[in-house]
Amino acid sequence: MTNALLYTVTVLIWGSTWLAIKMQLGGVHPAASIIYRFSLAAVLMFAWVLSRGLPLRFKPKDHFFMALVGALMFSTNFLCFYMASAYLTSGLVAVIFSMSLLLNIVNGMLFFRRKVASSVLVGAACGLAGILLVFWPELARFNLDSNSGRGIALSLMGTLLFSLGNMASARNSAAGLPTQSSTAYGMAYGALLLTLFALVQGVELRFDFSPRYMGSLLYLALFGSVVAFGSYLTLLGRIGAERAAYATVLFPMIALGLSTVFEGFVWTPRALLGVLLALVGNAIVLTKPEKLGKLLRPRGAPQA
């Protein structure tokens, strides 16, 4: 797959998973739903790896980092977001999660001493400004009471965990681990970690056999986890965590479009401007710096 196709798949699928996650809430504990999701996803990933003849034997050190990815990206972060949704609207959670773009930039500099292109910073600023414009009414109505404070803290924690998981995944890519194999192990380790958490906390591992719950679970496991995470982590290995994470800025826009159809969201000039800013930021982030320089340089101007 090309980078553009991987990016498109990630944005479209992750943008639609919010509706599926909403269908999961109710009689089943969030931890149990996440366990079912990533257990099924891990089985599917291992089946794919075996069918392709990809390696499954790795060094203990590599297993440690794959388990770290599982802990950060396939379990604890989702638990934070599910719990945060009990206190905040999904739009506000999406706004906070989009901050993973900036966290990836900062963490990339801290852990890998990466220099960040000015185009990435400019694009990130445009994208985040667009997100804030789209969700400004929710931000304006926000009141920092105890419940909202818990929701913000949980959302920020989930976003930080996701970003740190990006760093661990980038390490695995740099070490030459196959994305599909490491993702399969990561999902299995994440599901195992949450299972241990559920047992310790006395969480009842109930299951809902309704078509609504089972359909959303299959969608989240197959598309939201196997396809989207596989695409995102492949992209992360190719173009870096900073550019790959721009998907987290764009997928709330897809969620907003679905909300228009299913939840009656009303578009305003402010929301349209926000979407435009996010799209402009997307183009800047994904354009190579040298190509962007040529596009912005006046015709006939001398090169530096």
Side-chain angles (χ1 to χ4, degrees), residues 60-219:
K61 181 179 180 180
D62 293 329
H63 274 282
F64 169 79
F65 280 100
M66 289 188 289
L68 187 60
V69 171
L72 296 171
M73 292 186 70
F74 302 130
S75 56
T76 56
N77 64 318
F78 276 100
L79 188 59
C80 287
F81 289 129
Y82 270 75
M83 294 170 65
S85 297
Y87 303 111
L88 301 176
T89 63
S90 60
L92 191 50
V93 175
V95 170
I96 297 173
F97 183 54
S98 67
M99 298 299 173
S100 60
L101 175 61
L102 294 180
L103 287 176
N104 275 7
I105 292 174
V106 173
N107 287 329
M109 291 189 294
L110 290 176
F111 290 100
F112 300 105
R113 301 194 179 187
R114 289 175 179 161
K115 293 183 179 180
V116 181
S118 58
S119 60
V120 174
L121 295 176
V122 172
C126 285
L128 292 175
I131 284 288
L132 290 174
L133 276 176
V134 170
F135 294 107
W136 181 251
E138 291 183 285
L139 293 171
R141 292 194 299 268
F142 175 72
N143 183 18
L144 193 60
D145 57 25
S146 59
N147 285 341
S148 297
R150 292 192 197 100
I152 288 179
L154 286 166
S155 297
L156 288 173
M157 179 59 69
T159 304
L160 176 60
L161 291 170
F162 175 81
S163 178
L164 292 175
N166 279 228
M167 300 303 107
S169 180
R171 176 271 168 197
N172 290 342
S173 295
L177 302 187
T179 300
Q180 293 89 345
S181 302
S182 60
T183 301
Y185 273 115
M187 289 177 174
Y189 283 129
L192 177 61
L193 175 66
L194 267 191
T195 300
L196 294 175
F197 167 82
L199 292 175
V200 171
Q201 294 295 316
V203 173
E204 184 180 359
L205 297 180
R206 297 179 55 191
F207 192 84
D208 185 349
F209 288 95
S210 69
R212 176 186 176 93
Y213 184 86
M214 293 183 66
S216 60
L217 177 62
L218 288 173
Y219 182 79

Side-chain angles (χ1 to χ4, degrees), residues 12 19 23 37 46 59 77 85 89 93 147:
L12 291 178
L19 279 177
M23 296 178 184
R37 170 181 176 176
F46 276 119
K59 300 175 182 177
N77 64 318
S85 297
T89 63
V93 175
N147 285 341

Side-chain angles (χ1 to χ4, degrees), residues 8-28:
T8 301
V9 167
T10 302
V11 170
L12 291 178
I13 294 179
W14 275 357
S16 63
T17 53
W18 291 103
L19 279 177
I21 288 174
K22 192 171 184 179
M23 296 178 184
Q24 294 269 285
L25 301 176
V28 180

